[in-house]
Amino acid sequence: MNRALRMTAVGVIAVSLIAGGSAAAFAAPAQLHSPTPVVATAPATASLTAKASVASVHAWEEFRIAGAAHGIKAGSKVTVQQKQGTKWVSLPAQVPVSSTGSYSVRVKLGIKGVNQLRTAVNSTVSPVVKVTVS
């Protein structure tokens, strides 16, 4: 007898759940079932600016490259790169991006002639800056 009572109770509960669930689905406003429009915002593109403090220097004379980092996290390391032949070579000149997004790094060059330099943070690079070393 207990088994019959339990089976009846389970059946009644199951039917009420199914009926209640479908009634709730029919009673729900149409707004809940329509897709919500998603507004996609383009991620901020990272960029670097760079400017040398001088146009020409003597070999191993110190100068600065300063600029701004937009869309780059404060504390990220800005590295100076020099074009040597067809390759960009990272120099041992690094500085972190400040909380305001600016940076200024000291540089010394020994290769005489026109040197092409740029700054880089990961894959983001600045425009080329030219400094003549005599």
Side-chain angles (χ1 to χ4, degrees):
M1 179 95 169
N2 282 338
R3 183 174 182 197
L5 184 58
R6 275 186 283 162
M7 292 299 280
T8 305
V10 169
V12 169
I13 292 171
V15 169
S16 65
L17 286 175
I18 291 172
S22 62
F26 286 112
Q31 297 167 343
L32 295 177
H33 295 292
S34 64
T36 305
V38 177
V39 179
T41 57
T45 56
S47 65
L48 286 169
T49 63
K51 185 175 180 180
S53 61
V54 295
S56 63
V57 294
H58 293 289
W60 304 112
E61 183 180 348
E62 185 178 287
F63 66 97
R64 288 190 169 271
I65 294 179
H70 302 283
I72 296 173
K73 185 179 175 183
S76 299
K77 294 286 185 185
V78 176
T79 303
V80 177
Q81 295 180 335
Q82 179 183 42
K83 190 161 190 182
Q84 296 179 2
T86 59
K87 295 183 179 183
W88 286 98
V89 178
S90 293
L91 300 178
Q94 287 187 346
V95 68
V97 174
S98 73
S99 60
T100 61
S102 63
Y103 68 90
S104 179
V105 59
R106 296 180 297 178
V107 182
K108 291 182 181 182
L109 298 174
I111 299 175
K112 293 188 177 185
V114 177
N115 285 265
Q116 295 183 52
L117 305 168
R118 69 182 185 185
T119 56
V121 175
N122 299 324
S123 62
T124 304
V125 294
S126 72
V128 174
V129 175
K130 294 181 181 180
V131 175
T132 304
V133 178
S134 56

